[in-house]
Amino acid sequence: MDEESMEEEGGGGCEAMMDDQNHNNWGGGYGRPLPLGERFLRDAAGPRAGPGLPALPEANGVLRGCEPPAKGEAGAIAAAININASTSKFLMNVITIEDYKSTYWPKLDSAIDQLLTQSPGDYIPISYEQIYSCVYKCVCQQHSEQMYSDLIKKITNHLERVSKELQASPPDLYIERFNVALGQYMGALQSIVPLFIYMNKFYIETKLNRDLKDDLIKLFTEHVAEKHIYNLMPLLLEAQSTPFQITPSTMANIVKGLYTLRPEWVQMAPALFSKFIPNILPPAVESELQEYAAQDQKLQRELMQNGFTR
Protein backbone atom coordinates (compact mmCIF):
# COMPACT_ATOMS: atom_id res chain seq x y z
CA MET A 1 0.00 0.00 0.00
CA ASP A 2 1.72 3.25 -1.05
CA GLU A 3 1.43 6.58 0.70
CA GLU A 4 -0.56 8.26 -2.07
CA SER A 5 -3.30 5.67 -2.14
CA MET A 6 -3.34 5.59 1.66
CA GLU A 7 -3.91 9.34 1.76
CA GLU A 8 -6.91 8.91 -0.55
CA GLU A 9 -8.35 6.12 1.58
CA GLY A 10 -7.50 7.44 5.04
CA GLY A 11 -7.85 11.19 4.75
CA GLY A 12 -10.43 11.23 7.51
CA GLY A 13 -8.25 9.33 9.97
CA CYS A 14 -5.67 10.33 12.54
CA GLU A 15 -3.79 12.73 10.27
CA ALA A 16 -6.85 14.87 9.62
CA MET A 17 -7.01 15.81 13.27
CA MET A 18 -3.83 17.87 13.01
CA ASP A 19 -5.08 21.20 11.82
CA ASP A 20 -3.25 24.23 13.23
CA GLN A 21 0.29 25.18 12.26
CA ASN A 22 1.74 23.74 15.45
CA HIS A 23 -0.28 20.53 15.15
CA ASN A 24 -1.70 21.08 18.61
CA ASN A 25 -5.38 20.98 17.66
CA TRP A 26 -5.70 17.21 17.79
CA GLY A 27 -9.49 17.36 17.73
CA GLY A 28 -9.87 19.74 14.79
CA GLY A 29 -11.87 22.95 14.92
CA TYR A 30 -10.89 26.62 14.81
CA GLY A 31 -14.27 27.52 13.38
CA ARG A 32 -14.41 24.98 10.53
CA PRO A 33 -16.93 22.11 10.43
CA LEU A 34 -15.32 18.78 11.28
CA PRO A 35 -15.31 16.27 8.39
CA LEU A 36 -17.38 13.15 8.92
CA GLY A 37 -14.33 11.00 9.63
CA GLU A 38 -13.01 13.37 12.28
CA ARG A 39 -16.41 13.58 14.01
CA PHE A 40 -16.52 9.79 14.07
CA LEU A 41 -13.10 9.51 15.67
CA ARG A 42 -13.82 12.37 18.06
CA ASP A 43 -17.08 10.84 19.24
CA ALA A 44 -15.53 7.38 19.55
CA ALA A 45 -12.69 8.78 21.63
CA GLY A 46 -14.89 9.94 24.49
CA PRO A 47 -13.80 12.73 26.90
CA ARG A 48 -10.43 14.34 26.28
CA ALA A 49 -7.60 14.47 28.80
CA GLY A 50 -7.52 18.26 28.48
CA PRO A 51 -8.33 21.12 26.10
CA GLY A 52 -7.13 20.29 22.60
CA LEU A 53 -5.42 17.04 23.60
CA PRO A 54 -6.43 13.40 23.18
CA ALA A 55 -6.75 11.10 26.13
CA LEU A 56 -3.61 9.22 27.13
CA PRO A 57 -3.10 5.73 25.74
CA GLU A 58 -4.97 2.82 27.20
CA ALA A 59 -3.01 0.11 29.01
CA ASN A 60 -2.43 -1.74 25.74
CA GLY A 61 -0.85 1.34 24.14
CA VAL A 62 -3.67 2.18 21.70
CA LEU A 63 -4.65 5.84 21.56
CA ARG A 64 -8.27 6.59 22.24
CA GLY A 65 -9.73 7.86 19.03
CA CYS A 66 -7.42 5.66 16.95
CA GLU A 67 -8.55 2.24 18.18
CA PRO A 68 -11.50 0.39 16.62
CA PRO A 69 -14.63 0.61 18.80
CA ALA A 70 -16.15 -2.46 20.39
CA LYS A 71 -18.34 -4.61 18.19
CA GLY A 72 -21.70 -3.37 19.49
CA GLU A 73 -20.45 0.17 19.98
CA ALA A 74 -19.30 0.40 16.36
CA GLY A 75 -22.78 -0.44 15.10
CA ALA A 76 -24.39 2.14 17.34
CA ILE A 77 -22.02 4.89 16.28
CA ALA A 78 -22.38 3.97 12.62
CA ALA A 79 -26.16 4.05 12.86
CA ALA A 80 -26.12 7.35 14.74
CA ILE A 81 -24.22 9.17 12.00
CA ASN A 82 -25.74 7.16 9.15
CA ILE A 83 -22.63 5.44 7.82
CA ASN A 84 -22.41 1.90 6.55
CA ALA A 85 -19.79 -0.81 7.07
CA SER A 86 -17.69 0.26 4.09
CA THR A 87 -17.44 3.79 5.48
CA SER A 88 -16.28 2.37 8.84
CA LYS A 89 -13.50 0.52 7.05
CA PHE A 90 -12.63 3.73 5.21
CA LEU A 91 -12.26 5.59 8.49
CA MET A 92 -10.28 2.94 10.35
CA ASN A 93 -7.55 2.64 7.69
CA VAL A 94 -5.15 0.03 9.10
CA ILE A 95 -1.37 0.28 8.75
CA THR A 96 0.15 -3.19 8.87
CA ILE A 97 3.74 -3.83 9.89
CA GLU A 98 4.48 -4.44 6.21
CA ASP A 99 3.01 -1.03 5.35
CA TYR A 100 5.15 0.53 8.07
CA LYS A 101 8.35 -1.10 6.81
CA SER A 102 7.76 -0.48 3.11
CA THR A 103 6.05 2.92 3.10
CA TYR A 104 6.27 4.82 6.37
CA TRP A 105 9.72 4.10 7.83
CA PRO A 106 11.55 4.72 4.50
CA LYS A 107 10.14 8.26 4.46
CA LEU A 108 11.27 8.83 8.04
CA ASP A 109 14.65 7.22 7.38
CA SER A 110 15.34 9.54 4.45
CA ALA A 111 14.34 12.65 6.39
CA ILE A 112 16.53 11.69 9.38
CA ASP A 113 19.49 11.14 7.03
CA GLN A 114 19.15 14.65 5.64
CA LEU A 115 18.78 16.24 9.05
CA LEU A 116 21.81 14.44 10.51
CA THR A 117 24.11 15.40 7.65
CA GLN A 118 22.98 18.93 6.83
CA SER A 119 25.33 21.87 7.26
CA PRO A 120 24.15 25.05 8.99
CA GLY A 121 22.03 27.08 6.59
CA ASP A 122 21.36 24.17 4.23
CA TYR A 123 17.90 23.90 2.67
CA ILE A 124 16.40 20.50 3.43
CA PRO A 125 13.88 19.44 0.75
CA ILE A 126 11.60 17.47 3.04
CA SER A 127 7.96 17.94 3.94
CA TYR A 128 7.75 18.41 7.69
CA GLU A 129 3.98 18.07 7.47
CA GLN A 130 4.35 14.69 5.78
CA ILE A 131 6.80 13.48 8.43
CA TYR A 132 4.50 14.64 11.24
CA SER A 133 1.71 12.74 9.52
CA CYS A 134 3.75 9.54 9.17
CA VAL A 135 4.78 9.58 12.82
CA TYR A 136 1.27 10.32 14.06
CA LYS A 137 -0.34 7.57 11.99
CA CYS A 138 2.22 5.02 13.15
CA VAL A 139 1.64 5.99 16.79
CA CYS A 140 -2.12 5.61 16.32
CA GLN A 141 -1.60 2.17 14.77
CA GLN A 142 0.60 0.84 17.61
CA HIS A 143 3.93 0.97 15.75
CA SER A 144 5.58 3.24 18.32
CA GLU A 145 7.85 0.55 19.74
CA GLN A 146 9.13 -0.46 16.30
CA MET A 147 9.54 3.16 15.23
CA TYR A 148 11.50 4.05 18.38
CA SER A 149 13.76 1.01 17.89
CA ASP A 150 14.38 1.96 14.26
CA LEU A 151 15.14 5.57 15.19
CA ILE A 152 17.67 4.61 17.88
CA LYS A 153 19.36 2.11 15.56
CA LYS A 154 19.50 4.65 12.74
CA ILE A 155 21.11 7.36 14.86
CA THR A 156 23.47 4.94 16.59
CA ASN A 157 24.84 3.78 13.24
CA HIS A 158 25.32 7.39 12.17
CA LEU A 159 27.20 8.27 15.36
CA GLU A 160 29.47 5.25 15.05
CA ARG A 161 30.48 6.48 11.59
CA VAL A 162 31.11 9.95 12.99
CA SER A 163 33.31 8.49 15.72
CA LYS A 164 35.41 6.54 13.21
CA GLU A 165 35.91 9.65 11.10
CA LEU A 166 37.11 11.56 14.16
CA GLN A 167 39.56 8.78 15.04
CA ALA A 168 41.14 9.22 11.62
CA SER A 169 41.55 12.99 12.04
CA PRO A 170 45.07 14.45 12.46
CA PRO A 171 45.71 16.34 15.74
CA ASP A 172 45.67 19.77 14.08
CA LEU A 173 42.13 19.16 12.77
CA TYR A 174 40.80 17.08 15.63
CA ILE A 175 39.32 19.89 17.75
CA GLU A 176 37.64 21.61 14.82
CA ARG A 177 36.14 18.38 13.48
CA PHE A 178 34.84 17.43 16.91
CA ASN A 179 33.23 20.86 17.15
CA VAL A 180 31.56 20.40 13.75
CA ALA A 181 30.28 16.92 14.67
CA LEU A 182 28.89 18.15 18.00
CA GLY A 183 27.25 21.23 16.51
CA GLN A 184 25.80 19.34 13.57
CA TYR A 185 24.25 16.68 15.80
CA MET A 186 22.80 19.11 18.33
CA GLY A 187 21.38 21.15 15.46
CA ALA A 188 19.77 18.03 13.97
CA LEU A 189 18.09 17.25 17.30
CA GLN A 190 16.29 20.58 17.14
CA SER A 191 14.36 19.19 14.15
CA ILE A 192 14.29 15.45 14.90
CA VAL A 193 12.82 15.73 18.40
CA PRO A 194 9.81 17.88 17.34
CA LEU A 195 9.14 15.61 14.35
CA PHE A 196 8.72 12.66 16.72
CA ILE A 197 6.73 14.60 19.31
CA TYR A 198 3.76 12.20 19.18
CA MET A 199 5.93 9.14 19.72
CA ASN A 200 7.67 10.92 22.58
CA LYS A 201 4.38 11.92 24.22
CA PHE A 202 2.47 8.67 23.88
CA TYR A 203 5.22 6.06 24.03
CA ILE A 204 8.57 7.21 25.40
CA GLU A 205 7.20 9.40 28.21
CA THR A 206 4.19 7.22 28.96
CA LYS A 207 5.62 3.71 28.69
CA LEU A 208 9.37 4.17 29.10
CA ASN A 209 9.25 7.11 31.53
CA ARG A 210 11.99 8.86 29.58
CA ASP A 211 12.36 11.72 27.10
CA LEU A 212 13.43 11.46 23.47
CA LYS A 213 15.84 14.38 23.58
CA ASP A 214 17.60 12.97 26.63
CA ASP A 215 17.88 9.57 24.96
CA LEU A 216 19.40 11.05 21.80
CA ILE A 217 21.89 13.21 23.71
CA LYS A 218 22.92 10.11 25.64
CA LEU A 219 23.62 8.36 22.33
CA PHE A 220 26.13 11.05 21.34
CA THR A 221 27.75 10.85 24.77
CA GLU A 222 28.16 7.08 24.60
CA HIS A 223 29.13 6.63 20.95
CA VAL A 224 31.21 9.76 20.34
CA ALA A 225 32.15 11.91 23.34
CA GLU A 226 33.14 9.10 25.72
CA LYS A 227 35.36 7.55 23.06
CA HIS A 228 37.18 10.82 22.36
CA ILE A 229 37.25 12.75 25.63
CA TYR A 230 40.72 11.49 26.65
CA ASN A 231 42.20 12.50 23.29
CA LEU A 232 40.25 15.74 23.10
CA MET A 233 40.94 17.14 26.57
CA PRO A 234 44.78 17.33 26.28
CA LEU A 235 44.38 19.10 22.93
CA LEU A 236 41.97 21.58 24.46
CA LEU A 237 44.37 22.30 27.33
CA GLU A 238 47.23 22.76 24.89
CA ALA A 239 45.12 25.10 22.78
CA GLN A 240 44.19 27.05 25.90
CA SER A 241 47.85 27.63 26.73
CA THR A 242 48.53 28.81 23.15
CA PRO A 243 46.28 31.80 22.50
CA PHE A 244 44.38 31.85 19.22
CA GLN A 245 45.40 28.34 18.25
CA ILE A 246 41.66 27.80 17.86
CA THR A 247 38.94 30.43 17.82
CA PRO A 248 37.33 31.39 21.15
CA SER A 249 33.92 30.44 19.77
CA THR A 250 35.11 26.91 18.95
CA MET A 251 36.57 26.49 22.43
CA ALA A 252 33.37 27.81 24.03
CA ASN A 253 31.13 25.55 21.94
CA ILE A 254 33.09 22.42 22.82
CA VAL A 255 33.47 23.16 26.53
CA LYS A 256 29.80 24.04 26.95
CA GLY A 257 28.82 21.00 24.88
CA LEU A 258 30.93 18.64 27.00
CA TYR A 259 29.40 20.12 30.14
CA THR A 260 25.91 19.50 28.74
CA LEU A 261 26.75 15.90 27.87
CA ARG A 262 28.37 15.04 31.20
CA PRO A 263 28.83 17.70 33.91
CA GLU A 264 31.31 15.56 35.87
CA TRP A 265 33.86 16.02 33.10
CA VAL A 266 34.50 19.41 34.73
CA GLN A 267 36.83 17.60 37.14
CA MET A 268 39.20 16.81 34.28
CA ALA A 269 40.01 20.50 33.73
CA PRO A 270 38.23 22.81 36.21
CA ALA A 271 40.17 25.91 35.15
CA LEU A 272 39.25 25.39 31.51
CA PHE A 273 35.56 24.83 32.20
CA SER A 274 35.43 27.78 34.58
CA LYS A 275 36.22 30.15 31.71
CA PHE A 276 32.94 29.27 30.00
CA ILE A 277 30.67 27.81 32.72
CA PRO A 278 29.78 30.11 35.65
CA ASN A 279 30.21 29.04 39.27
CA ILE A 280 32.41 26.03 38.48
CA LEU A 281 35.25 27.02 40.81
CA PRO A 282 34.79 27.80 44.50
CA PRO A 283 34.49 31.49 45.45
CA ALA A 284 37.67 33.55 45.42
CA VAL A 285 39.46 34.05 48.73
CA GLU A 286 41.54 37.01 49.77
CA SER A 287 44.74 34.98 50.12
CA GLU A 288 44.69 34.16 46.38
CA LEU A 289 44.13 37.69 45.06
CA GLN A 290 47.80 38.11 44.11
CA GLU A 291 47.68 34.91 42.07
CA TYR A 292 44.57 36.11 40.24
CA ALA A 293 46.29 39.42 39.48
CA ALA A 294 49.34 37.60 38.11
CA GLN A 295 47.13 35.50 35.82
CA ASP A 296 45.42 38.63 34.50
CA GLN A 297 48.77 40.31 33.80
CA LYS A 298 49.98 37.22 31.93
CA LEU A 299 46.85 37.23 29.77
CA GLN A 300 47.29 40.94 28.99
CA ARG A 301 50.91 40.36 27.90
CA GLU A 302 49.84 37.51 25.62
CA LEU A 303 47.14 39.68 24.06
CA MET A 304 49.60 42.49 23.41
CA GLN A 305 52.08 40.07 21.86
CA ASN A 306 49.37 39.01 19.41
CA GLY A 307 48.60 42.55 18.29
CA PHE A 308 45.88 43.57 20.71
CA THR A 309 46.19 46.97 22.43
CA ARG A 310 44.55 48.26 25.56
Side-chain angles (χ1 to χ4, degrees):
M1 180 186 303
D2 59 36
E3 177 73 11
E4 183 175 347
S5 62
M6 188 171 300
E7 295 295 337
E8 293 176 357
E9 291 184 5
C14 297
E15 179 188 4
M17 291 188 284
M18 298 182 297
D19 131 325
D20 70 300
Q21 65 178 0
N22 294 318
H23 304 289
N24 291 324
N25 187 31
W26 297 54
Y30 286 93
R32 67 174 178 82
L34 286 175
L36 179 62
E38 294 188 37
R39 293 203 304 271
F40 179 87
L41 289 174
R42 181 198 62 189
D43 296 339
R48 298 297 187 206
L53 290 175
L56 290 176
E58 296 288 353
N60 63 2
V62 181
L63 296 182
R64 294 192 184 101
C66 295
E67 59 184 299
K71 184 175 180 182
E73 186 182 9
I77 296 173
I81 61 176
N82 194 27
I83 61 176
N84 56 28
S86 63
T87 308
S88 298
K89 182 179 179 181
F90 165 83
L91 292 172
M92 306 317 297
N93 182 32
V94 175
I95 301 174
T96 66
I97 188 61
E98 290 77 17
D99 295 331
Y100 166 81
K101 291 180 178 180
S102 64
T103 302
Y104 287 87
W105 176 249
K107 292 181 181 295
L108 300 175
D109 183 273
S110 176
I112 295 166
D113 256 338
Q114 294 181 64
L115 292 170
L116 287 173
T117 57
Q118 68 176 326
S119 298
D122 278 358
Y123 169 71
I124 305 298
I126 63 175
S127 168
Y128 286 87
E129 183 178 1
Q130 184 182 69
I131 303 306
Y132 276 123
S133 173
C134 286
V135 172
Y136 186 49
K137 287 179 179 179
C138 292
V139 170
C140 286
Q141 298 281 329
Q142 305 183 68
H143 297 302
S144 294
E145 183 176 359
Q146 182 66 53
M147 184 164 54
Y148 176 72
S149 175
D150 289 339
L151 176 63
I152 295 300
K153 183 178 179 181
K154 171 75 177 177
I155 294 183
T156 297
N157 290 338
H158 167 77
L159 292 176
E160 288 177 348
R161 290 193 297 271
V162 169
S163 182
K164 289 179 181 179
E165 292 172 359
L166 284 173
Q167 288 173 352
S169 298
D172 58 325
L173 298 177
Y174 193 93
I175 293 177
E176 189 60 46
R177 288 183 180 178
F178 184 91
N179 181 54
V180 170
L182 176 63
Q184 189 176 51
Y185 185 74
M186 292 303 181
L189 294 193
Q190 294 180 14
S191 295
I192 292 173
V193 172
L195 286 175
F196 286 86
I197 187 173
Y198 301 121
M199 181 182 72
N200 189 47
K201 179 69 175 177
F202 294 106
Y203 176 69
I204 302 175
E205 290 183 358
T206 304
K207 283 203 162 187
L208 305 182
N209 296 315
R210 297 202 304 267
D211 178 78
L212 178 59
K213 184 177 180 180
D214 293 341
D215 283 359
L216 298 184
I217 289 177
K218 184 178 179 182
L219 286 181
F220 188 91
T221 304
E222 293 176 348
H223 295 281
V224 180
E226 283 183 353
K227 294 180 179 180
H228 293 272
I229 187 66
Y230 294 105
N231 292 329
L232 179 65
M233 193 59 67
L235 293 174
L236 291 174
L237 292 172
E238 179 183 349
Q240 181 194 21
S241 64
T242 308
F244 312 108
Q245 180 175 328
I246 62 173
T247 64
S249 61
T250 296
M251 180 70 79
N253 289 340
I254 293 178
V255 171
K256 292 178 180 179
L258 292 175
Y259 183 75
T260 298
L261 297 176
R262 185 155 293 174
E264 56 265 33
W265 281 338
V266 167
Q267 303 305 318
M268 299 179 68
L272 173 62
F273 279 85
S274 69
K275 294 181 180 296
F276 305 98
I277 310 295
N279 303 319
I280 290 296
L281 297 178
V285 294
E286 184 177 354
S287 61
E288 296 178 350
L289 290 179
Q290 290 185 349
E291 182 180 349
Y292 299 146
Q295 291 177 356
D296 288 341
Q297 291 173 2
K298 179 183 177 183
L299 177 60
Q300 290 175 17
R301 287 194 299 270
E302 291 173 346
L303 290 172
M304 293 176 65
Q305 291 171 1
N306 285 275
F308 285 81
T309 58
R310 296 190 179 190

